[in-house]
Amino acid sequence: MAGPPAFLSGRDVGSFAYLTIKDRIPQILTKAIDTLHRHKSEFFEKHGEKGMEAEKKAISLLSKLRNEMQTDKPIIPLVEKFADTDIWNQYLEYQQSLLNEGDGKPRWFYSPWLFVECYMYRRIHEAVIQSPPIDDFDVFRESKEQNFFESQESVIALCTHLQELMETIEDLDENRLKNEFFKFLQISLWGNKCDLSLSGGESSSQKTDIIDSLEDLKPFILVNDMEHLWSLLSNCKKIKEKASTIRVDIVLDNSGFELVTDLTLADFLLSSKLATEIHFYGKTIPWFVSDTTIHDFNWLIKQVKHSNHKWVSKCGADWENYIKMGRWVYHDHIFWTLPHEFCAMSQVAPDLYAELQKARLILFKGDLNYRKLTGDRKWEFTVPFHQALTGFHPAPLCSIRTLKAEVQVGLQPGQGEQLAASEPNWLTAGKYGIFQFDGPL
Ligand code: F6P
Ligand code: MG
């Protein structure tokens, strides 16, 4: 049997991977350098001269990184000792062992895109931790917070919808409940349009009322397995014994507006009794500009709680309560910020794999998670999702993702070709979305 197809890579000139390495990630680095500059006086106030020196050091390390990337230098091992340093360096050696061309060294434009892009964010983190006392500075924090503030109108609309629904949720018949479930799922899907990596770190917030747009957006859902999710959870609810749990895990993506959509979905799942426990997974270090860390998660819930709007602040208070009562659980794991495909999880992070196996359903938010689910490879569009997962089946799972990378599986024959003929960038513009399910019901 033939092995899996090749990885997407910057060596394909003109591909989205190539353009990302050539233009988008250097732009993100430049923005990170700029952010450090702008915080100079804050570092001085906090740490005196040492803060100023640290800022200079972090900037020079990031400038060096940008130069390495733009001149396609070999990818070098990480030097600063951190929890995942050895795993990263082993992975780099493994990449090296696969090469028998050129000087045998992995390079930015030559190696798998998934690897080099993850490596870039890991090197940004290295530059910051090598620069104490500003070693806990998140160069992307400001833009994540700005995304949240700019989406206020949509946050209000969404929290109001949820709270008004709460008043009657016990009396809703099956059909209405299903309808609402589908609404919250779609809101969470389109919330994924708001990532800050695709926009090169520029503002990308939600300014229109997303609930009103759902009908118009339906034609852009290319794979729609929402019915499977409903069957699975509504059956669990029906056959649930009194004390048993229905656990849904959400592998989070972006903070800001997208996180609000995920938390409202999680709240709806508990309130409708379609789930009894939600487990969230975030990133341990700043990642792909807008990804959620524990700091972002707590910060956002606090902001929501302290809102002047009564329904928004009610949501925040409820969410804090869920956390206190252990009905919402947040998990950290270094695996999420490694370069590995998810099919390697059971070997590289068996503890995390075992944790995910406890879920009745796992929701994977966003594009990067999809790339890791499918290995970021050049699959044919019609290859079944189950096959592209290459053995990753911890529990029934669903990818909820807007398309922002040139990988898509599980389409109908001709569907991909038809889209490509009418819209050359259908795979990367974030205009289309999927609910793609795998697993027994
Ligand atoms: O920069 C590349 C990329 O991985 C794209 O595929 C996508 O635009 C973005 O970064 C991350 O998107 P998401 O936040 O949905 O994972
Ligand atoms: Mg992201």
Side-chain angles (χ1 to χ4, degrees), residues 24 117 192 195 197-198 253-254 288 367-368 371 404-405:
R24 249 165 2 103
E117 197 174 18
N192 181 243
D195 92 86
S197 155
L198 186 64
D253 185 9
N254 304 305
F288 280 68
D367 193 73
L368 178 61
R371 291 173 59 194
K404 302 176 220 159

Side-chain angles (χ1 to χ4, degrees), residues 339-354:
H340 300 72
E341 320 164 54
F342 289 163
C343 64
M345 187 192 287
S346 57
Q347 263 133 48
V348 181
D351 55 332
L352 178 61
Y353 194 84

